[in-house]
Amino acid sequence: MRAAEDRRTHLVTGAGSGIGACVARALLDRGDDLLLVARDEARARELEQEYAGARTLVADLADIASIAPLDLTGPLDSVVHAAGVVALGAVGELSAGDWRSQLDVNLLAPAELTRIALPSLRAARGTVVLVNSGAGLRANPGWAAYAASKFGLRALADALRQEEAEHGVRVTTVHPGRTATPMQEQVHAHEGREYDAQEWIDPATVAATVLHVLDLPRDATIPDLTLSPGPRA
């Protein structure tokens, strides 16, 4: 557990499962304070029970207008954007709604949430971590909409990093390869492949990487970081 004077406050999205859940649990277990984004009041109560002592903010990341009223004043040492959605399909098959849902949750919501959080992040000389994807580095067949949202997220991070350097805010993009999460199960189902979590990165490993970024001494920053599944000997 961290000493009281070392406790920090982190805003985390996607704490309900996968990488976001592992990040939230690791931060809470070491004694830091959490602000968790929940899509509705019922989900907020569930997260408060799961993460004892955490505070919740109600906003549906698929509804950008619901983010603007959030009160993010007060201490805020980091924002970790771990929420995301995926809808795979060829360009000739994807609907406008498929594109819109992924762009809203994966790109516009992080941009809006970061904008609102910036005054508090500047005051704390805090860190923004954007959990991206290998799809933010390359686009493969069937992944156009998801990759577009993640390419955009990388562009957001690159611009934000340069804009906020003068305020002492650090910005890191983490690009995990395939990770053993519910989203990965969904992807395998779409691909018609058998899912074996042991083949992919443990989400706790990605969470440990995020914590490394958050704990990095002030004399350095990590702009981009890529993780790939390790060899299975």
Side-chain angles (χ1 to χ4, degrees):
M1 294 290 290
R2 301 168 74 90
E5 62 272 17
D6 295 328
R7 291 178 65 148
R8 291 183 285 172
T9 301
H10 310 273
L11 172 62
V12 180
T13 70
S17 67
I19 294 169
C22 289
V23 170
R25 175 55 57 191
L27 292 171
L28 189 68
D29 286 351
R30 77 180 192 177
D32 282 350
D33 295 322
L34 291 182
L35 282 170
L36 305 178
V37 178
R39 63 179 175 271
D40 53 38
E41 292 289 350
R43 189 62 177 136
R45 301 294 82 78
E46 292 174 358
L47 290 176
E48 288 169 1
Q49 291 182 359
E50 185 174 355
Y51 301 99
R55 291 175 289 159
T56 55
L57 300 165
V58 176
D60 184 350
L61 300 183
D63 176 11
I64 305 305
S66 72
I67 299 173
L70 294 180
D71 181 4
L72 297 182
T73 57
L76 188 59
D77 295 283
S78 82
V79 176
V80 179
H81 296 286
V85 296
V86 63
L88 301 183
V91 173
E93 301 168 352
L94 290 169
S95 69
D98 293 329
W99 283 85
R100 172 54 60 190
S101 62
Q102 292 176 91
L103 290 169
D104 281 349
V105 175
N106 298 346
L107 175 57
L108 297 182
E112 179 69 351
L113 197 56
T114 299
R115 181 186 69 80
I116 296 169
L118 274 177
S120 294
L121 285 166
R122 290 168 177 168
R125 293 169 58 84
T127 302
V128 179
V129 178
L130 301 108
V131 179
N132 200 297
S133 166
L137 299 171
R138 60 193 173 276
N140 294 318
W143 290 76
Y146 182 74
S149 71
K150 292 299 189 177
F151 269 65
L153 190 65
R154 181 158 58 98
L156 167 64
D158 290 348
L160 182 69
R161 184 179 304 114
Q162 297 173 75
E163 292 168 0
E164 294 302 316
E166 65 180 291
H167 301 292
V169 175
R170 298 186 291 188
V171 179
T172 296
T173 295
V174 178
H175 292 275
R178 294 206 179 206
T179 303
T181 65
M183 180 184 287
Q184 192 57 232
E185 292 189 65
Q186 178 186 348
V187 167
H188 272 66
H190 176 87
E191 295 172 334
R193 300 170 56 197
E194 184 177 345
Y195 176 71
D196 182 357
Q198 298 302 314
E199 295 181 357
W200 310 119
I201 304 170
D202 189 319
T205 301
V206 182
T209 302
V210 171
L211 264 66
H212 171 70
V213 169
L214 297 177
D215 293 341
L216 195 70
R218 290 297 313 182
D219 62 340
T221 188
I222 301 175
D224 298 277
L225 196 157
T226 301
L227 290 83
S228 299
R232 300 300 199 268

Coordinates of all heavy atoms in Angstrom, one line a residue, residues 180-218:
A180 N -5.9 -11.3 -24.2 CA -7.0 -12.2 -23.8 C -8.1 -11.5 -23.0 O -8.1 -11.5 -21.8 CB -6.4 -13.3 -22.9
T181 N -9.0 -10.9 -23.7 CA -10.1 -10.1 -23.2 C -11.4 -10.5 -23.8 O -11.4 -11.2 -24.9 CB -9.9 -8.6 -23.5 OG1 -10.0 -8.4 -24.9 CG2 -8.5 -8.1 -22.9
P182 N -12.5 -10.1 -23.2 CA -13.8 -10.4 -23.9 C -13.9 -9.9 -25.3 O -14.5 -10.5 -26.2 CB -14.8 -9.7 -23.0 CG -14.2 -9.7 -21.6 CD -12.7 -9.5 -21.9
M183 N -13.3 -8.7 -25.6 CA -13.2 -8.2 -27.0 C -12.5 -9.2 -27.9 O -13.0 -9.4 -29.1 CB -12.6 -6.9 -27.1 CG -12.5 -6.3 -28.5 SD -11.6 -4.7 -28.6 CE -12.8 -3.6 -27.8
Q184 N -11.5 -9.8 -27.4 CA -10.7 -10.8 -28.3 C -11.6 -12.0 -28.5 O -11.6 -12.6 -29.6 CB -9.4 -11.2 -27.6 CG -8.5 -12.0 -28.5 CD -8.1 -11.2 -29.7 OE1 -8.3 -11.7 -30.8 NE2 -7.7 -9.9 -29.5
E185 N -12.4 -12.4 -27.6 CA -13.3 -13.5 -27.8 C -14.3 -13.2 -28.9 O -14.7 -14.0 -29.8 CB -14.1 -13.9 -26.5 CG -13.2 -14.5 -25.4 CD -14.1 -15.0 -24.3 OE1 -14.9 -15.9 -24.5 OE2 -14.0 -14.5 -23.2
Q186 N -14.8 -11.9 -28.9 CA -15.7 -11.4 -29.9 C -15.1 -11.4 -31.3 O -15.7 -11.8 -32.3 CB -16.2 -10.0 -29.5 CG -17.1 -9.4 -30.5 CD -17.4 -7.9 -30.2 OE1 -17.1 -7.4 -29.1 NE2 -18.0 -7.2 -31.1
V187 N -13.8 -11.0 -31.3 CA -13.1 -11.0 -32.6 C -12.9 -12.4 -33.1 O -13.2 -12.7 -34.3 CB -11.7 -10.3 -32.4 CG1 -10.8 -10.6 -33.6 CG2 -11.9 -8.8 -32.2
H188 N -12.6 -13.4 -32.3 CA -12.4 -14.7 -32.7 C -13.7 -15.3 -33.2 O -13.8 -16.0 -34.2 CB -11.9 -15.6 -31.6 CG -10.4 -15.6 -31.5 ND1 -9.7 -14.5 -31.1 CD2 -9.5 -16.6 -31.6 CE1 -8.4 -14.8 -31.1 NE2 -8.3 -16.1 -31.4
A189 N -14.8 -15.0 -32.6 CA -16.1 -15.4 -33.0 C -16.4 -14.9 -34.4 O -17.0 -15.6 -35.3 CB -17.2 -15.0 -32.0
H190 N -16.1 -13.6 -34.6 CA -16.4 -13.0 -36.0 C -15.5 -13.7 -37.0 O -15.9 -14.0 -38.2 CB -16.0 -11.6 -35.9 CG -16.2 -10.9 -37.3 ND1 -17.3 -10.4 -37.8 CD2 -15.2 -10.7 -38.3 CE1 -17.1 -9.9 -39.0 NE2 -15.9 -10.0 -39.3
E191 N -14.3 -14.1 -36.6 CA -13.3 -14.7 -37.6 C -13.6 -16.2 -37.7 O -13.0 -16.8 -38.6 CB -11.9 -14.5 -37.1 CG -11.4 -13.0 -37.1 CD -10.1 -12.9 -36.4 OE1 -9.7 -13.7 -35.6 OE2 -9.4 -11.9 -36.8
G192 N -14.5 -16.7 -36.9 CA -14.8 -18.2 -37.0 C -13.6 -19.0 -36.5 O -13.5 -20.2 -36.9
R193 N -12.9 -18.5 -35.5 CA -11.7 -19.2 -35.0 C -12.0 -19.6 -33.6 O -12.7 -19.0 -32.8 CB -10.5 -18.3 -35.1 CG -10.1 -17.9 -36.4 CD -9.0 -16.8 -36.4 NE -7.9 -17.3 -35.7 CZ -6.9 -16.5 -35.2 NH1 -7.0 -15.2 -35.3 NH2 -5.9 -17.0 -34.6
E194 N -11.4 -20.7 -33.2 CA -11.4 -21.2 -31.8 C -10.6 -20.2 -30.9 O -9.5 -19.9 -31.3 CB -10.9 -22.6 -31.6 CG -11.1 -23.2 -30.3 CD -10.6 -24.7 -30.2 OE1 -10.5 -25.3 -31.3 OE2 -10.4 -25.2 -29.1
Y195 N -11.2 -19.9 -29.8 CA -10.5 -18.9 -28.9 C -9.8 -19.7 -27.7 O -10.4 -20.5 -27.0 CB -11.5 -17.9 -28.3 CG -10.9 -17.0 -27.3 CD1 -10.0 -16.0 -27.7 CD2 -11.2 -17.1 -25.9 CE1 -9.5 -15.1 -26.8 CE2 -10.6 -16.2 -25.0 CZ -9.8 -15.2 -25.4 OH -9.2 -14.3 -24.5
D196 N -8.5 -19.4 -27.6 CA -7.7 -19.9 -26.5 C -6.9 -18.8 -25.9 O -6.0 -18.2 -26.4 CB -6.7 -21.0 -27.0 CG -5.9 -21.6 -25.9 OD1 -6.0 -21.2 -24.7 OD2 -5.1 -22.5 -26.2
A197 N -7.3 -18.4 -24.6 CA -6.7 -17.2 -24.0 C -5.2 -17.4 -23.8 O -4.5 -16.4 -23.7 CB -7.4 -17.0 -22.6
Q198 N -4.8 -18.6 -23.7 CA -3.4 -18.8 -23.4 C -2.5 -18.4 -24.6 O -1.3 -18.3 -24.4 CB -3.1 -20.3 -23.1 CG -3.9 -20.8 -21.8 CD -3.5 -20.0 -20.6 OE1 -2.3 -19.8 -20.4 NE2 -4.5 -19.6 -19.8
E199 N -3.1 -18.2 -25.7 CA -2.3 -17.8 -26.9 C -1.9 -16.4 -26.9 O -1.0 -15.9 -27.7 CB -3.0 -18.2 -28.2 CG -3.2 -19.7 -28.4 CD -4.0 -20.0 -29.7 OE1 -4.3 -19.0 -30.4 OE2 -4.2 -21.1 -30.0
W200 N -2.6 -15.6 -26.1 CA -2.5 -14.1 -26.2 C -2.0 -13.5 -25.0 O -1.8 -14.1 -23.9 CB -3.9 -13.6 -26.6 CG -4.5 -14.3 -27.8 CD1 -5.7 -15.0 -27.8 CD2 -4.0 -14.4 -29.1 NE1 -5.9 -15.5 -29.0 CE2 -4.9 -15.2 -29.8 CE3 -2.8 -13.9 -29.7 CZ2 -4.6 -15.5 -31.2 CZ3 -2.6 -14.2 -31.0 CH2 -3.5 -15.0 -31.7
I201 N -1.7 -12.2 -25.0 CA -1.2 -11.4 -23.9 C -2.2 -11.4 -22.8 O -3.4 -11.2 -23.0 CB -0.9 -10.0 -24.3 CG1 0.1 -10.0 -25.5 CG2 -0.3 -9.2 -23.1 CD1 0.3 -8.6 -26.1
D202 N -1.7 -11.6 -21.6 CA -2.6 -11.5 -20.4 C -2.9 -10.0 -20.2 O -2.0 -9.2 -20.2 CB -1.8 -12.1 -19.1 CG -2.7 -12.2 -17.9 OD1 -3.5 -11.3 -17.7 OD2 -2.6 -13.2 -17.2
P203 N -4.2 -9.7 -20.0 CA -4.5 -8.2 -19.7 C -3.7 -7.6 -18.5 O -3.5 -6.4 -18.5 CB -6.0 -8.2 -19.6 CG -6.4 -9.6 -19.3 CD -5.4 -10.5 -20.0
A204 N -3.4 -8.5 -17.6 CA -2.6 -8.0 -16.4 C -1.2 -7.5 -16.8 O -0.7 -6.6 -16.2 CB -2.5 -9.1 -15.3
T205 N -0.7 -8.1 -17.9 CA 0.6 -7.7 -18.4 C 0.5 -6.3 -19.0 O 1.4 -5.5 -18.8 CB 1.1 -8.7 -19.4 OG1 1.2 -10.0 -18.8 CG2 2.5 -8.3 -20.0
V206 N -0.6 -6.1 -19.8 CA -0.8 -4.7 -20.3 C -1.0 -3.7 -19.2 O -0.4 -2.6 -19.2 CB -1.9 -4.7 -21.3 CG1 -2.1 -3.3 -21.9 CG2 -1.8 -5.8 -22.4
A207 N -1.7 -4.1 -18.2 CA -1.9 -3.2 -17.0 C -0.6 -2.9 -16.3 O -0.4 -1.7 -15.9 CB -2.9 -3.9 -16.0
A208 N 0.2 -3.9 -16.2 CA 1.6 -3.6 -15.6 C 2.4 -2.6 -16.4 O 3.1 -1.8 -15.8 CB 2.3 -4.9 -15.4
T209 N 2.2 -2.7 -17.7 CA 2.9 -1.7 -18.6 C 2.3 -0.3 -18.4 O 3.1 0.6 -18.3 CB 2.7 -2.2 -20.0 OG1 3.2 -3.5 -20.2 CG2 3.4 -1.2 -21.0
V210 N 1.0 -0.2 -18.3 CA 0.4 1.1 -18.0 C 0.9 1.7 -16.7 O 1.2 2.8 -16.6 CB -1.1 0.9 -18.0 CG1 -1.8 2.3 -17.5 CG2 -1.6 0.6 -19.4
L211 N 1.0 0.8 -15.7 CA 1.5 1.3 -14.4 C 2.9 1.8 -14.5 O 3.3 2.7 -13.8 CB 1.3 0.3 -13.3 CG 0.0 0.4 -12.4 CD1 -1.3 0.2 -13.3 CD2 0.0 -0.5 -11.2
H212 N 3.7 1.1 -15.3 CA 5.1 1.5 -15.5 C 5.1 2.9 -16.1 O 5.9 3.7 -15.6 CB 5.8 0.5 -16.4 CG 7.2 0.9 -16.8 ND1 8.2 1.0 -16.0 CD2 7.6 1.4 -18.0 CE1 9.3 1.5 -16.6 NE2 8.9 1.7 -17.9
V213 N 4.3 3.1 -17.0 CA 4.2 4.5 -17.6 C 3.8 5.5 -16.6 O 4.4 6.6 -16.5 CB 3.2 4.5 -18.8 CG1 2.9 5.9 -19.3 CG2 3.7 3.6 -20.0
L214 N 2.8 5.2 -15.8 CA 2.3 6.2 -14.8 C 3.4 6.5 -13.7 O 3.4 7.6 -13.2 CB 1.1 5.6 -14.1 CG -0.2 5.4 -15.0 CD1 -1.3 4.8 -14.2 CD2 -0.6 6.8 -15.7
D215 N 4.2 5.5 -13.5 CA 5.2 5.6 -12.4 C 6.6 6.1 -12.9 O 7.5 6.2 -12.1 CB 5.4 4.3 -11.7 CG 4.2 3.9 -10.9 OD1 3.3 4.7 -10.6 OD2 4.0 2.7 -10.6
L216 N 6.7 6.3 -14.2 CA 8.0 6.8 -14.7 C 8.5 8.1 -14.1 O 7.7 9.0 -14.0 CB 7.8 7.0 -16.2 CG 9.1 7.0 -17.1 CD1 9.8 5.7 -17.1 CD2 8.8 7.5 -18.5
P217 N 9.7 8.1 -13.7 CA 10.2 9.4 -13.1 C 10.1 10.5 -14.1 O 10.0 10.4 -15.3 CB 11.7 9.1 -12.8 CG 11.8 7.6 -12.7 CD 10.7 7.0 -13.6
R218 N 10.0 11.7 -13.5 CA 9.7 12.9 -14.3 C 10.8 13.3 -15.3 O 10.6 14.1 -16.2 CB 9.5 14.1 -13.4 CG 8.3 14.1 -12.5 CD 7.0 14.1 -13.3 NE 7.0 15.1 -14.3 CZ 5.9 15.4 -15.1 NH1 4.8 14.6 -15.0 NH2 5.9 16.3 -16.0

